[in-house]
């Protein structure tokens, strides 16, 4: 066992303790993020005789878990917003056929029983997506629900963010978030180590997060 492996083993209790501060995220994923935090702390720690490594590593472990939590929350938020956007666009199309005019926000709001302000906010959040209407002959709601998508996300922005990933990164995100495999199961299927899957996953989530936040 290398010195780094020994340090990781010695700090497992600390990793799991910090993991309890985060909810709705698999403990296994938080543990892997914590291990990455330990590795970063190990690579940056300078023993000055006053600061204990455990104290120094705490912020790195927490930081990695927080970043993982934030990235997952952002992707989930975008999925929910674009799911609602799809419903609004479908409603607009149906009402236009029924009323023989482009429906107003108020008419859409009454039909869906959704507050008008919520609809305005959804349109603001998806302004980039809406611009696609001018570039295609098909309305956006048809594209969003296109069954030919390689990964069924019902989410244009999310699909585009996936296209920024390498083939291996796409496979990892597909297995982890669309097929609900654990990191261990994903590693076994792809012939990789669990730590490697964790690192690739984190890198992929960062890429997607940066795309969705742009």
């Amino acid at each position: 066992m290398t010195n780094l492996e020994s340090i990781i083993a010695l700090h497992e209790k600390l990793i799991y303790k910090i993991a309890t501060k985060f909810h709705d995220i698999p403990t296994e994923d938080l543990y892997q993020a914590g291990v990455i935090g330990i590795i970063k702390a190990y690579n940056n720690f300078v023993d000055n005789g006053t600061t204990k490594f455990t104290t120094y590593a705490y912020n790195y472990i927490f930081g990695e878990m927080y970043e993982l939590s934030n990235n997952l929350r952002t992707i989930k938020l975008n999925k929910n917003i674009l799911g609602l956007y799809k419903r609004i666009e479908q409603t607009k199309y149906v009402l236009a056929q029924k009323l023989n005019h482009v429906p107003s926000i108020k008419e859409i709001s009454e039909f869906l029983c959704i507050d008008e302000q919520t609809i305005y906010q959804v349109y603001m959040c998806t302004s980039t997506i809406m611009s696609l209407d001018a570039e295609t002959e098909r309305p956006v709601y048809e594209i969003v629900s296109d069954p030919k998508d390689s990964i069924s996300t019902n989410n244009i922005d999310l699909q585009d963010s996936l296209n920024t990933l390498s083939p291996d990164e796409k496979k990892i995100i597909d297995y982890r978030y669309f097929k609900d495999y654990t990191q261990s199961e994903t590693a076994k299927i792809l012939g990789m180590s669990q730590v490697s899957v964790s690192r690739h996953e984190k890198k992929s989530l960062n890429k997607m997060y940066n795309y969705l936040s742009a």
Side-chain angles (χ1 to χ4, degrees):
M1 182 179 289
T2 66
N3 189 41
L4 177 57
E5 290 175 334
S6 299
I7 289 175
I8 291 173
L10 287 171
H11 289 82
E12 280 193 343
K13 287 186 178 180
L14 176 62
I15 293 174
Y16 284 117
K17 181 179 179 180
I18 297 174
T20 62
K21 299 179 182 294
F22 298 87
H23 306 285
D24 300 324
I25 301 176
T27 301
E28 181 184 74
D29 294 355
L30 290 169
Y31 175 80
Q32 291 302 319
V35 169
I36 291 174
I38 287 285
I39 294 172
K40 287 186 176 181
Y42 177 82
N43 290 333
N44 290 289
F45 181 68
V46 176
D47 189 356
N48 55 18
T50 58
T51 303
K52 293 183 178 180
F53 177 78
T54 299
T55 303
Y56 182 80
Y58 184 99
N59 288 335
Y60 279 88
I61 297 169
F62 183 88
E64 290 297 317
M65 291 184 184
Y66 179 82
E67 188 173 353
L68 171 66
S69 174
N70 192 48
N71 286 347
L72 293 178
R73 190 179 299 112
T74 299
I75 292 173
K76 182 177 180 181
L77 176 62
N78 277 275
K79 287 181 68 175
N80 291 338
I81 288 174
L82 282 154
L84 182 54
Y85 175 79
K86 174 190 171 184
R87 288 180 59 201
I88 292 171
E89 285 297 289
Q90 289 175 326
T91 299
K92 182 193 292 185
Y93 179 80
V94 170
L95 288 179
Q97 300 297 313
K98 182 178 179 180
L99 303 174
N100 293 318
H101 68 258
V102 177
S104 65
I105 295 294
K106 182 179 180 180
E107 289 171 325
I108 295 173
S109 170
E110 291 176 348
F111 186 88
L112 290 175
C113 297
I114 295 174
D115 184 75
E116 290 182 42
Q117 188 61 36
T118 299
I119 295 177
Y120 280 117
Q121 290 173 349
V122 169
Y123 275 133
M124 287 178 64
C125 291
T126 55
S127 58
T128 301
I129 297 175
M130 292 178 67
S131 67
L132 293 175
D133 272 331
E135 301 172 8
T136 178
E137 295 179 358
R138 291 192 298 162
V140 170
Y141 76 85
E142 288 185 8
I143 299 173
V144 172
S145 59
D146 193 340
K148 291 182 292 184
D149 286 344
S150 58
I151 299 177
S152 180
T153 62
N154 291 329
N155 184 327
I156 291 177
D157 257 6
L158 187 62
Q159 183 65 51
D160 286 346
S161 72
L162 285 166
N163 290 334
T164 67
L165 307 180
S166 69
D168 285 342
E169 290 170 340
K170 281 184 180 180
K171 289 179 182 177
I172 290 173
I173 294 299
D174 185 21
Y175 281 120
R176 291 284 292 117
Y177 296 97
F178 298 105
K179 294 179 180 176
D180 293 326
Y181 284 86
T182 65
Q183 286 188 346
S184 297
E185 291 170 336
T186 300
K188 186 177 294 184
I189 291 171
L190 298 179
M192 303 169 66
S193 69
Q194 187 172 334
V195 171
S196 181
V197 168
S198 178
R199 289 177 178 173
H200 281 294
E201 179 181 332
K202 184 175 182 296
K203 180 180 178 182
S204 301
L205 290 175
N206 281 331
K207 282 185 181 181
M208 295 172 71
Y209 173 77
N210 290 334
Y211 178 90
L212 293 168
S213 301

